[in-house]
Amino acid sequence: MAQTIGFIGGGNMASAIIKGLIQQEIYSPSNIFASALSERSVDRLKNQFAINSSQSNEFIVKNSDIIVLAVKPYLVFKIIDEIKSVLKTEQIVISIASGITLKKLNHAMPEQRVYRAMPNTPASVNMGMTSICTTLNPNETSRTLVAQIFEAIGKTAWIDESLMHAAIAVHGSSPAYAFVMIEAMADAAVLEGMPRDKAYIMAAQSLLGAAQMVLDSGLHPGVLKDQVTSPGGNTIKAIAVLEEDGFRSSIIRAMHAAAEKSREMEANN
Ligand SMILES: NC(=O)c1ccc[n+]([C@@H]2O[C@H](COP(=O)([O-])OP(=O)(O)OC[C@H]3O[C@@H](n4cnc5c(N)ncnc54)[C@H](OP(=O)(O)O)[C@@H]3O)[C@@H](O)[C@H]2O)c1
């Protein structure tokens, strides 16, 4: 029998994952279940993806081999309490909620195989990055099933849970840093007379291309930078200004702040 997957919470992140799973034919719509609070969201999930959607979390748990907790962090333990009586022993549960530790999840669901994953919003265009961790043994067979879900929406990395704050800083929050950089680059191009619509495409495509070069070439980013900075040229002039203005240290400090905030949120959850 085919595996079934159920999402408790059918918002932005669950929808991005569902889209990827269907597009990559990892699960057929009939094997996907999702719940939401409002009837409106339940209807949207049904109409958009032709999946089984419901306002009943119990219905999702009863029909799914793998359950993804995709509600806001403050609701996670309330939901676990609600579904506890219908959860089956050894059922696979993945939490994507920020700041909710494996220790607390395992404590709340001691009989289940529990995973914690941190995807990011580029998942919606199949360019996501997801860090995954678990306290289960490295030979645990369900690891492959869990990785397959997130590989449908981009790249994955298995990490130790202690690195989750770094993961949040480097790929959870970083799409926002990139959006700010694209906006700033486009503003500068507009200042030079470029029409704004063209400026956004140029800035975004350049960042996308540079990122792809890092991934495809395996070269150190510094080597790639050296390759495009001719002596006395315009690129090295720009880099000198970026360095003068603390571009590099500003990014490091910003990411450290994101990781610190993540630690603080985890302590308060
Ligand atoms: N967005 C991101 O970039 C991102 C990245 C990594 C991890 N996460 C994590 O993913 C989780 C979901 O985030 P999101 O951005 O997808 O949030 P979201 O768009 O607000 O979605 C939350 C969903 O939960 C549903 N819901 C609320 N109460 C419920 C209940 N009692 N039972 C069942 N469903 C319920 C909501 O239903 P309605 O639609 O009816 O309101 C909505 O569909 C969060 O824990 C977040 O930390 C998000």
Side-chain angles (χ1 to χ4, degrees), residues 193-206:
M194 184 67 70
R196 188 162 281 281
D197 54 343
K198 288 193 171 68
Y200 283 130
I201 293 170
M202 289 171 182
Q205 177 68 10
S206 304

Side-chain angles (χ1 to χ4, degrees), residues 10-13 37-38 41 57 70-73 75 96-98 118-119 121:
N12 293 319
M13 196 42 72
L37 190 62
S38 62
S41 294
N57 294 329
V71 289
K72 292 288 185 198
L75 283 172
I96 63 165
S98 310
M118 179 51 55
T121 50

Side-chain angles (χ1 to χ4, degrees), residues 15 33 44 46-47 57 64 70-71 108 115 153 156 159-160 177 183 194-195 199 208 223 225 242 244:
S15 296
F33 295 77
R44 179 188 55 78
K46 201 167 286 171
N47 295 334
N57 294 329
S64 309
V71 289
Y115 291 83
I153 50 162
T156 58
I159 60 167
D160 186 89
Y177 324 151
E183 197 186 6
M194 184 67 70
L208 183 66
V223 171
K225 182 264 294 169
L242 288 175
E244 244 173 62

Side-chain angles (χ1 to χ4, degrees), residues 55-126:
Q55 279 176 297
S56 161
N57 294 329
E58 202 177 304
F59 171 76
I60 306 304
V61 175
K62 283 185 172 164
N63 284 288
S64 309
D65 299 313
I66 301 178
I67 296 151
V68 182
L69 298 175
V71 289
K72 292 288 185 198
Y74 75 94
L75 283 172
V76 167
F77 294 108
K78 181 179 169 281
I79 298 284
I80 294 173
D81 270 349
E82 186 189 324
I83 62 174
K84 224 171 188 170
S85 62
V86 282
L87 269 174
K88 289 175 251 146
T89 309
E90 300 276 293
Q91 205 161 17
I92 300 165
V93 182
I94 306 166
S95 164
I96 63 165
S98 310
I100 307 284
T101 62
L102 283 169
K103 189 176 175 192
K104 287 187 179 161
L105 291 165
N106 284 330
H107 182 73
M109 298 175 287
E111 311 274 290
Q112 283 67 39
R113 288 176 288 174
V114 174
Y115 291 83
R116 180 178 171 194
M118 179 51 55
N120 65 4
T121 50
S124 62
V125 290
N126 290 338

